[in-house]
Amino acid sequence: MNKQLLPKFHITGEKGWINDPNGLVVFQGEYHAFFQYYPHDVKWGPMHWGHVKSRDLITWETLPVALRPDEQDGGCFSGSAIVWQEKLWLMYTSFNENEGGESIRQLQALASSADGVTFEKHGIVIGEEDLPSEYCPWDFRDPSVFRRGDTFYCVTAARKRGAGGRLLLFSSPDLFRWTFCCDLFDRDCDGSMTECPSWSDELNLLLFSEQFRPHEGGKYCNVHSCLYQFGTLENAGFVPSEEEDILDYGFDIYATQIFSGAPVMMGWLSMWDRSDPLAKFGFAGQLTLPRVLSVKNGKLRQKPVYRAEEVRKEENVSSLFDTLVTGAIKVEAENLSAFSIKLRKKGNSFASFALVENEWIFDRSQAGEKIEGVEKDEDSLAGIRRMPKENTQKTEIEIVSDKYSLEIFVNGISLTSVVCPEEDADGVELSLTAEKSTYTKYLVK
Ligand code: FRU
């Protein structure tokens, strides 16, 4: 594996395959991130939990694999973490394929660590006998654990027999003995299955992913989608305070999770059922940057965390040329009426992001290697994603570029995508019309 080929400042498995972030937690003053990991190939395989930690969410240290398949777990599927009695506890899904189909078992298991490096497995703690019989033990996964006073709670994805995706709530006095509380929404999700719930009591925020969620206007254009919803989570069910909404308008983000102990989120910067242009470099999958979460005008806002040096600042430009591969561009504008930027440009190859009437349009159709998906709608085939324009006097556009990704934020609403241009495709071309504007460029070195 040539490390030069890895992204500059995004978490990967360094070799092999990764998918969902798991067990995001603050433990002994450090941020720990785990992820679904198959170290032996650039495709999904028996799941391990890869592990990294950081003091600042910027520089990450790779730690030994935390969980691996064994006699108990055919695979260690997604889950979450919590700190209790000075230990770091992981709750994950123990996956066993058995004979396949309805003989598959996905049950919730526990592991713990005193040092945050070596984990001891404690076996299955939410077994088939704890799951009410109307739910399928073969589609029961991704526990999100949290604590209120003396009681632990855990939200899991599940499927009702003969029906669709659900989210279930369980409670426990000690992380080992769990009792079913309720089916959170008591209705099928709009997609075919719910995955990766993540609940934050601090933010009153529920994140979840849905497989095959149907399109709805310009939303949910990917085969699988990430959603969020504000509300309160009670023993009897979820009480929403806002409508659920799409979490990101880009091509490539899934299985987002909030840190236990900090209002920060990460997601898998990729998507199921897509070709992967990075696999040829010896690794597949990366995580999004950590993003600090907040709420404004009822919408979830995200602020990416990275360290970069300011290298250029311009006031009130209407057009400019620049270069950028790893770093960020920020444009702050008042009464913005036109905006267009080309990124990673080399000859006729570039990705673009532009304001067209009342929409932001991202286009990666010319951005180097083609990425093929199973989506057959016009926009997807044309390499396009759209995001509605908010009517605000001030607009802040922040574009974070790494070797193989563009994470775009407009007033904190995100559009995240993989791109795979040539390594030296670094041109930037900007044009904009606004009453007042500032352009700033930052480099990640
Ligand atoms: C979501 C997911 C989870 C599962 C994991 C397996 O991407 O399908 O539901 O736990 O991936 O790797």
Side-chain angles (χ1 to χ4, degrees), residues 156-415:
T156 66
R159 177 191 298 286
K160 200 159 181 173
R161 287 179 199 258
R166 303 292 178 108
L167 292 176
L168 307 183
L169 183 68
F170 292 82
S171 72
S172 167
D174 57 9
L175 290 172
F176 284 83
R177 292 166 295 154
W178 290 90
T179 312
F180 174 75
C181 299
C182 69
D183 182 329
L184 277 191
F185 293 92
D186 207 18
R187 64 167 174 81
D188 291 350
C189 70
D190 292 328
S192 69
M193 175 66 190
T194 323
E195 296 190 307
C196 302
S198 179
W199 170 255
S200 163
D201 245 354
E202 289 68 36
L203 299 164
N204 281 319
L205 174 63
L206 178 68
L207 310 185
F208 54 104
S209 297
E210 281 188 15
Q211 294 179 313
F212 301 100
R213 168 123 185 162
H215 290 194
E216 206 180 291
K219 290 181 182 173
Y220 314 115
C221 299
N222 295 322
V223 54
H224 313 300
S225 298
C226 295
L227 293 102
Y228 73 90
Q229 186 158 27
F230 289 106
T232 50
L233 209 157
E234 290 162 15
N235 276 23
F238 185 78
V239 184
S241 58
E242 304 279 340
E243 289 282 293
E244 65 189 15
D245 206 351
I246 189 168
L247 185 135
D248 186 288
Y249 288 86
F251 280 100
D252 303 296
I253 183 166
Y254 197 66
T256 47
Q257 185 177 109
I258 307 165
F259 274 85
S260 172
V264 178
M265 175 198 97
M266 293 204 284
W268 178 33
L269 207 171
S270 190
M271 180 56 65
W272 294 110
D273 303 310
R274 293 267 167 74
S275 64
D276 185 348
L278 311 183
K280 63 175 175 297
F281 301 132
F283 73 97
Q286 44 184 334
L287 300 186
T288 68
L289 288 179
R291 301 171 179 185
V292 178
L293 302 177
S294 61
V295 52
K296 195 172 173 198
N297 299 336
K299 299 267 176 229
L300 182 66
R301 312 282 163 164
Q302 309 171 32
K303 180 95 194 126
V305 183
Y306 53 94
R307 185 186 298 128
E309 188 188 324
E310 183 182 313
V311 291
R312 181 173 176 186
K313 193 167 199 139
E314 311 277 351
E315 305 287 342
N316 301 320
V317 286
S318 57
S319 70
L320 62 73
F321 294 94
D322 208 339
T323 56
L324 179 70
V325 176
T326 59
I329 286 170
K330 264 189 218 167
V331 175
E332 285 165 302
E334 288 183 27
N335 295 321
L336 182 74
S337 56
F339 182 93
S340 163
I341 192 163
K342 289 182 180 159
L343 298 146
R344 303 300 306 272
K345 187 170 182 328
K346 184 180 176 190
N348 292 329
S349 164
F350 56 83
S352 70
F353 185 63
L355 186 57
V356 181
E357 290 165 6
N358 255 339
E359 264 183 341
W360 292 99
I361 299 190
F362 172 74
D363 183 344
R364 70 171 178 191
S365 60
Q366 310 297 318
E369 200 167 323
K370 284 257 171 317
I371 303 173
E372 311 269 349
V374 293
E375 299 90 345
K376 295 288 174 256
D377 60 288
E378 227 174 277
D379 273 1
S380 298
L381 293 173
I384 283 176
R385 283 289 174 266
R386 299 163 194 268
M387 164 158 98
K389 176 185 184 289
E390 287 183 294
N391 281 326
T392 52
Q393 198 246 338
K394 286 192 179 163
T395 307
E396 187 184 310
I397 301 155
E398 181 168 8
I399 301 175
V400 189
S401 171
D402 199 345
K403 287 184 200 167
Y404 316 108
S405 62
L406 290 169
E407 293 173 86
I408 302 177
F409 302 84
V410 181
N411 296 335
I413 296 184
S414 67
L415 191 152

Side-chain angles (χ1 to χ4, degrees), residues 19-20 36 44 47 77-78 141-142 195-196 254-255 268 272:
N19 54 287
D20 318 351
Q36 289 286 277
W44 191 86
M47 280 290 118
F77 275 18
S78 287
R141 57 184 180 269
D142 309 340
E195 296 190 307
C196 302
Y254 197 66
W268 178 33
W272 294 110

